[in-house]
Amino acid sequence: MGYTVREQWHRHYADGRGFRPLGDVERALLAEHAPAPEPGGRALDVGCGTGELAVHLASLGYAVDAVDYADSALERARARNAEGVRWLRLDVERDDPAALHPAGYDLITLRLAYAFLRDRDRVLSCLGERLRTGGALVVITPTADRTPADRRDIALDEDEITRLRAGWARTTRREAEGLAVLVLRHPRNTAAAGQRP
């Protein structure tokens, strides 16, 4: 898989690098499929990097918890001085999630981060338990068929996407400039959807 250790991510961001900017099609799809509920919702951006998506979600009306485990990414994200965003250093695979909002989230996003998870099933199950009733988990990922062979570890193939979608009662797939945008609702494996264990 494409898992990279924390120190490598820290160096990546400390060297001034980032990832693909948030595109207009992604913005439009988020507004269409995951609009903030009135009078405002709560979102969790997992693997937030330098915070572009988190800031965008705040502009849509969400109160955002943005998490990453690379200190240098969070330093750059905090420099945005964004209102409505709480920046948290957290490894969703290893750290205690106590810092996350206890009442859950209306939207959880993993943009360009899902392929780097080692225990994908467990992480998605835990995130699904943090969704409020009616909420959505959105995975935005490169696909293997549109990714150069030497970088396929950052992408998902169609079998992986099918497996990911199988854990959810309602799924929508859209394309955004070479990325798959998966909107997942109603996790199948949680004992009480919308409630934390």
Side-chain angles (χ1 to χ4, degrees):
M1 298 296 169
Y3 180 77
T4 306
V5 297
R6 184 180 303 208
E7 183 56 33
Q8 290 174 307
W9 281 116
H10 176 73
R11 282 197 307 269
H12 175 88
Y13 290 110
D15 290 344
R17 290 181 283 167
F19 280 96
R20 176 182 175 152
L22 187 64
D24 291 339
V25 175
E26 291 173 86
R27 292 173 196 270
L29 289 172
L30 285 166
E32 177 184 352
H33 293 279
E38 293 293 333
R42 182 163 295 279
L44 173 64
D45 183 19
V46 177
C48 68
T50 60
E52 184 181 15
L53 176 56
V55 171
H56 176 67
L57 294 175
S59 77
L60 295 178
Y62 284 102
V64 182
D65 286 345
V67 302
D68 205 292
Y69 71 6
D71 292 321
S72 55
L74 291 172
E75 287 168 17
R76 289 173 58 187
R78 286 183 181 109
R80 293 177 178 271
N81 294 318
E83 289 188 33
V85 181
R86 183 173 67 128
W87 308 103
L88 301 168
R89 183 177 181 267
L90 182 75
D91 181 340
V92 295
E93 292 197 81
R94 293 183 182 85
D95 294 342
D96 181 350
L100 297 179
H101 197 275
Y105 298 93
D106 301 292
L107 173 65
I108 298 175
T109 57
L110 291 102
R111 182 181 184 269
L112 309 180
Y114 184 77
F116 295 101
L117 296 173
R118 289 189 300 174
D119 191 349
R120 296 173 182 173
D121 292 339
R122 185 182 64 78
V123 170
L124 275 203
S125 177
C126 290
L127 292 176
E129 291 171 353
R130 292 188 173 276
L131 275 180
R132 293 176 176 169
T133 301
L137 190 147
V138 177
V139 176
I140 301 173
T141 183
T143 55
D145 62 336
R146 295 186 176 193
T147 303
D150 64 331
R151 303 193 70 223
R152 294 251 166 90
D153 62 338
I154 68 163
L156 300 183
D157 64 28
E158 290 304 315
D159 289 341
E160 291 169 312
I161 290 173
T162 298
R163 181 173 179 203
L164 166 62
R165 295 176 76 179
W168 300 80
R170 209 170 102 212
T171 69
T172 302
R173 178 178 178 171
R174 297 290 184 262
E175 301 298 319
E177 303 161 320
L179 299 173
V181 177
L182 307 169
V183 182
L184 312 171
R185 296 181 189 276
H186 311 295
R188 294 183 191 276
N189 297 330
T190 55
Q195 297 178 10
R196 290 188 54 221

